[in-house]
Amino acid sequence: MDNKKKLYRSETDKKLCGVCGGLAKYLDADSTIIRLIAILLGFGSVGTAIIAYFVIAMVMPVDPE
């Protein structure tokens, strides 16, 4: 029995690459809140979070469902 939660990019709940949608599903949170946090981090980190987002998007696998 495989009850482990796995982190995937979302193909259904995405605006750009699906990272925030996948993270929201993994954390069982609202994807809008995750996106707002990501935007605030992007502005607060002088762009470092934006680069990290795209690196995560390249590394994180797509949801197989």
Side-chain angles (χ1 to χ4, degrees), residues 6-57:
K6 295 189 179 187
L7 182 61
Y8 294 108
R9 282 188 296 141
S10 175
E11 280 293 311
T12 57
D13 184 16
K14 69 178 187 178
K15 298 294 180 190
L16 195 60
C17 295
V19 174
C20 292
L23 186 60
K25 184 176 179 181
Y26 181 79
L27 296 174
D28 196 29
D30 185 17
S31 60
T32 304
I33 301 299
I34 301 297
R35 286 185 183 102
L36 288 173
I37 292 170
I39 289 169
L40 290 174
L41 284 173
F43 287 131
S45 67
V46 192
T48 305
I50 296 169
I51 295 169
Y53 177 89
F54 287 109
V55 169
I56 292 169

